[in-house]
Amino acid sequence: MSIFESYEKKISELKQFNELLDSINFMHPEKKYLEMIINTELLEYQRRLESLSLGKLSYRCSFCNGFIKEIGIPIIVGDLTLCNFCKISISQVMTTNKAEEEWGLFKGAIKQDCRPGGALQIYKDAGLVFKSGKFWQIHRKVMLQHYGEPKDIIKSYDLLKG
């Protein structure tokens, strides 16, 4: 069932329930409360369906499973749909070799900190440093927080040269 069909079905069910409540003749405080809740939910589903129909939220990200709110066509490769947030998040993860090169650290420095009980243990526990196969992966935010700003090797070379 598509998202459109599920919203249309929910709208239909809410309308039927609303009609059922209208057919009840006696007044009860709970009845007014239920009518208010149903009408609010009905309006929300109608608003969502209208947004989908206008093409504003017609895609869902394969990673975060959220609706893509950006206007235009998102990144689509085969069955994979990617929102901008997930695209940016993925690009923030790098191998320790790349991070060591970018930060000007000696080879193996980050791997050393990845050992059990090492300096990066809290980040490992949070899933910001992890092993994928035989390679350690590290998030850019961890590098910035733990090691500071990356070293601009080219700028350093230019200063020494000139």
Side-chain angles (χ1 to χ4, degrees):
M1 177 182 298
S2 75
I3 189 79
F4 290 99
E5 292 168 337
S6 65
Y7 280 0
E8 287 169 346
K9 181 180 176 192
K10 188 67 174 175
I11 289 169
S12 174
E13 289 170 357
L14 287 168
K15 284 181 177 178
Q16 287 175 353
F17 194 67
N18 211 1
E19 289 171 7
L20 178 67
L21 276 176
D22 284 343
S23 69
I24 298 173
N25 289 333
F26 87 99
M27 288 302 293
H28 191 276
E30 296 287 325
K31 180 183 174 192
K32 279 292 181 195
Y33 179 70
L34 277 173
E35 286 175 343
M36 184 182 73
I37 290 174
I38 291 169
N39 286 331
T40 303
E41 197 170 340
L42 182 61
L43 287 172
E44 178 61 22
Y45 274 100
Q46 288 171 334
R47 185 196 61 77
R48 288 181 188 178
L49 185 61
E50 183 181 343
S51 292
L52 284 170
S53 300
L54 294 173
K56 290 182 183 173
L57 303 173
S58 58
Y59 297 98
R60 227 176 229 251
C61 178
S62 302
F63 287 98
C64 67
N65 206 26
F67 285 111
I68 298 175
K69 296 179 178 125
E70 298 91 15
I71 295 174
I73 298 174
I75 300 160
I76 301 173
V77 180
D79 291 339
L80 181 69
T81 306
L82 197 61
C83 69
N84 285 335
F85 179 78
C86 288
K87 178 185 172 202
I88 291 167
S89 295
I90 289 169
S91 68
Q92 298 297 302
V93 177
M94 61 187 96
T95 63
T96 54
N97 290 341
K98 182 178 189 298
E100 288 164 351
E101 184 180 308
E102 196 173 321
W103 264 259
L105 301 170
F106 66 87
K107 191 167 177 65
I110 298 173
K111 288 180 193 123
Q112 215 171 18
D113 290 342
C114 288
R115 290 183 305 202
L120 297 175
Q121 185 64 47
I122 58 170
Y123 301 108
K124 285 171 48 182
D125 294 343
L128 296 170
V129 176
F130 58 94
K131 200 164 190 178
S132 177
K134 63 179 186 171
F135 298 103
W136 281 100
Q137 305 286 323
I138 190 165
H139 198 280
R140 179 172 290 281
K141 295 283 185 190
V142 172
M143 291 300 297
L144 290 168
Q145 186 173 0
H146 191 75
Y147 297 101
E149 290 293 321
K151 308 294 182 246
D152 194 342
I153 296 169
I154 295 167
K155 188 185 276 185
S156 302
Y157 176 76
D158 287 344
L159 288 173
L160 291 172
K161 192 173 133 186

